[in-house]
Amino acid sequence: MLNNIMVYAGKKKMSINEDSSAIFHFHQVLRSFVRACYAIRMKDLTREMNTNPEKNFPLIQASLSDKEYLNPTLVFKNAFAEYSIKDFDYYIAIAVYFSMGVFKNAEESSLISPYIHLTKMLDAAHLILERRIQKNQ
């Protein structure tokens, strides 16, 4: 859904043809996700990491650098060193706003960096969850 929102936000003559309640739900879920990321940014999860290089596949690593793959909390620390929760809230609201209608003068450049941080946070959160599941098996 995040990719769909960003695709629509960058196009000038399109709008999302979904129920607006789905867009509102997306907005609320993403805001909650940002707050959860903010809460775990201070945790040190390196002890849970499998540093075996044989298991470091590019598809699992996704958008994360090697350092971020080994310590996903770096993603959260970097994101919140550059942007506050209010900044992410603004970004999410702008992405949803521009996705709901046809606008000609969207500030696309201001949407790219927060989008990259959100994508990395999603990848890092997924990686943390996968490692926690493996640890409990």
Side-chain angles (χ1 to χ4, degrees):
M1 183 75 168
L2 179 60
N3 283 335
N4 288 344
I5 294 287
M6 289 307 298
V7 166
Y8 288 114
K11 294 194 176 184
K12 295 180 178 20
K13 294 188 178 184
M14 295 185 97
S15 63
I16 295 177
N17 293 326
E18 295 182 36
D19 181 16
S20 59
S21 65
I23 304 302
F24 178 72
H25 180 70
F26 163 78
H27 177 268
Q28 294 302 102
V29 167
L30 201 51
R31 284 185 74 225
S32 295
F33 174 73
V34 167
R35 280 153 178 74
C37 292
Y38 185 79
I40 64 172
R41 79 190 188 289
M42 299 307 289
K43 293 185 178 188
D44 184 17
L45 300 174
T46 55
R47 68 189 186 306
E48 296 179 18
M49 311 321 271
N50 182 355
T51 57
N52 186 351
E54 294 175 14
K55 294 193 178 194
N56 185 2
F57 297 112
L59 289 177
I60 295 171
Q61 191 167 341
S63 66
L64 305 178
S65 69
D66 291 339
K67 281 184 180 182
E68 292 167 339
Y69 179 78
L70 293 174
N71 185 1
T73 56
L74 289 176
V75 172
F76 307 118
K77 290 176 185 178
N78 292 338
F80 291 106
E82 190 171 344
Y83 295 99
S84 68
I85 288 179
K86 281 186 173 186
D87 293 332
F88 279 110
D89 284 349
Y90 178 75
Y91 158 74
I92 295 165
I94 291 296
V96 168
Y97 177 75
F98 285 121
S99 299
M100 295 298 290
V102 178
F103 301 96
K104 293 184 179 181
N105 297 321
E107 295 181 27
E108 296 172 25
S109 62
S110 64
L111 299 177
I112 293 177
S113 188
Y115 171 75
I116 291 169
H117 282 296
L118 281 173
T119 301
K120 285 179 156 250
M121 288 192 289
L122 285 166
D123 290 340
H126 177 75
L127 182 63
I128 291 168
L129 181 62
E130 288 293 319
R131 288 179 177 166
R132 193 164 282 167
I133 290 170
Q134 287 176 357
K135 181 181 175 183
N136 291 333
Q137 289 180 351

